Each structure stands twice: as C-alpha cells, then as structure tokens.
Amino acid sequence: MHISLASDSLDGIAPALAAEVERRGHTVTLYGALAPDGRADWAWCCSSAARDVAEGRSDQAVVCCWTGTGASIAANKVAGVRAALCADAVTAAGARRWNDANVLALSLRLTSPQVLTEILDAWFAAAPSTEPEDAANIAYLREIR
C-alpha cells in the first residue's frame, strides 16, 4: 500500500514513523516535519496527507500532532476522509472495522514506540466490516452535511 505520513514536529514517535511503516512493506509520501521542505503546521501537513487519500494518490494516511486532535480535525475536513484518533490497538482495529477509517491520527505526546507498533499492527490487520448495518453507517457519512 501507499501511505501518506504527516507530522507537525519531530517529537515522540515522529522520527520512527516512516521507518516503521516502510518496514511493513508500504511506500510512503512524507509531509510536514517529516519532509525536507514541507510546511510543518498541523493543519497544512495533515490535510495534505488526507487529500492524498481522498484523491487516490495514497491508500491510507497516518497524521500526527502533539495531542492528535488537530491532526484528526484537519484530516476530517477533507471530503471522503474518515480519520480516527487512536491511542491503543483496540481502538485502531475498531476504527478500521466499524468506521472504515482511512486515516489514522496519533498523538506524539501519548504514543510510545511499543504502542505505535501495536496500533499499526491492529490498523493494518483489520479490514472494514461487511455487515449491512456497518456499511449503511459508512454510506450515511457521505450524506451528512
């Protein structure tokens, strides 16, 4: 898969994020502090990564800021993106399964290297639910204005 990655700083897990995603066999596009010449402000870099997903340049994205909140808000402003702020593996798996989340938002402050590994394991292993009620919820998200 092609994964877009964005972080507004190089704090916490940010320096290891690209290597961890690439280690899993994915190719990456980098934004913000992760890119040599990217604008590092959270709203700009995280929405850029999310736009890659919405426009089909990436399959998924991982966006990060100090709390993860701004990263998830910026990503969710992009039509077609379902970003989930996940602090643990169970939440990440549920976000993929029940919400068909296509952007993972992480807190640079709270996510340890071990928890990052667990979250990414769960995120990449989970698949969207095929249950009719789950599909109906995802379809309805496109209608909400």
Side-chain angles (χ1 to χ4, degrees):
M1 279 195 292
H2 192 99
I3 312 292
S4 290
L5 305 175
S7 182
D8 67 346
S9 74
L10 293 178
D11 293 308
I13 50 123
L17 182 60
E20 182 60 28
V21 171
E22 288 175 328
R23 183 185 70 74
R24 296 161 184 273
H26 306 293
T27 57
V28 300
T29 298
L30 304 176
Y31 291 99
L34 301 174
D37 58 354
R39 183 169 182 167
D41 302 273
W42 58 266
W44 278 265
C45 67
C46 294
S47 64
S48 294
R51 200 169 293 109
D52 281 355
V53 174
E55 295 175 2
R57 289 185 297 275
S58 288
D59 300 296
Q60 297 177 2
V62 180
V63 296
C64 308
C65 69
W66 189 241
T67 64
T69 306
S72 64
I73 291 170
N76 277 316
K77 293 294 288 183
V78 178
V81 166
R82 292 172 305 283
L85 176 55
C86 299
D88 58 60
V90 173
T91 303
R96 289 287 300 130
R97 178 165 174 72
W98 297 305
N99 310 125
D100 192 12
N102 51 15
V103 175
L104 171 63
L106 297 172
S107 167
L108 296 173
R109 183 179 74 83
L110 293 177
T111 311
S112 69
Q114 178 62 38
V115 171
L116 172 64
T117 300
E118 294 168 4
I119 289 171
L120 292 177
D121 286 345
W123 180 267
F124 290 126
S129 170
T130 58
E131 296 296 319
E133 59 272 11
D134 295 328
N137 276 302
I138 301 309
Y140 180 62
L141 289 177
R142 291 184 209 95
E143 298 174 24
I144 298 172
R145 297 284 173 227

